[in-house]
Amino acid sequence: MVLSPNAAAFGIAEEPLVLTGVGMCPPTRVRTNQIKLPDIAPDKQNPHGGPAASHGIAITSDQKTLLVNSRLNSALYAYSLPELKFLGGAVLGGKGAGWLTVTPDDKTAYVANEHTNNVSVVDIKSLKETALIPVGFAPARNATWMAP
């Protein structure tokens, strides 16, 4: 397996996200750092929560910003890279933040909210939700596609 020189693995809360070498015996697991998602008041948390603290993680193409969503907090958080300084977060109108994708220009993030059947559109620079798009049942595996 070949990794980019900038490849990194991050741990989120108590659940480390690791890189696993495909075809390597035994598989190689590397944790380079760990972040803790912000705590919010229990009455503001998604009652359906997990099972994982996060299911979406992305790095902007300039490799300066790490985006991480929180199922429990229904939020998208941003951290600077490589120092992992907390930059802020966007509260999402939907619940169950899952899959995350970023546009090629690094301006917009889309977060699939599986518990409310919608997708949050987030302006990455301001960390504000700009739209909430109703979609079909339990959206997942979203990806950015640019029409020619």
Side-chain angles (χ1 to χ4, degrees):
M1 178 175 93
V2 177
L3 295 175
S4 136
N6 297 312
F10 299 92
I12 299 171
E14 304 303 318
E15 302 176 22
L17 176 67
V18 295
L19 296 176
T20 303
V22 177
M24 300 172 87
C25 295
T28 303
R29 296 176 184 264
V30 178
R31 182 194 312 183
T32 61
N33 218 323
Q34 183 167 327
I35 59 173
K36 183 176 184 320
L37 299 177
D39 292 320
I40 64 171
D43 63 320
K44 300 223 186 267
Q45 293 177 347
N46 177 9
H48 304 290
S54 176
H55 192 65
I57 185 169
I59 297 175
T60 56
S61 61
D62 64 5
Q63 298 187 4
K64 293 184 179 180
T65 307
L66 171 69
L67 299 170
V68 181
N69 66 25
S70 169
R71 287 181 174 205
L72 182 63
N73 295 355
S74 296
L76 177 68
Y77 298 113
Y79 298 84
S80 66
L81 289 174
E83 56 280 328
L84 292 177
K85 177 184 170 198
F86 180 69
L87 300 175
V91 175
L92 306 178
K95 302 288 184 209
W99 293 80
L100 165 67
T101 189
V102 176
T103 56
D105 63 6
D106 292 333
K107 291 183 178 181
T108 308
Y110 293 88
V111 181
N113 300 305
E114 64 180 324
H115 299 153
T116 51
N117 304 324
N118 49 37
V119 172
S120 293
V121 181
V122 177
D123 177 78
I124 294 173
K125 185 175 183 181
S126 67
L127 289 174
K128 301 285 183 203
E129 182 181 62
T130 59
L132 191 60
I133 305 168
V135 296
F137 178 73
R141 293 169 183 83
N142 52 333
T144 305
W145 179 76
M146 303 299 286

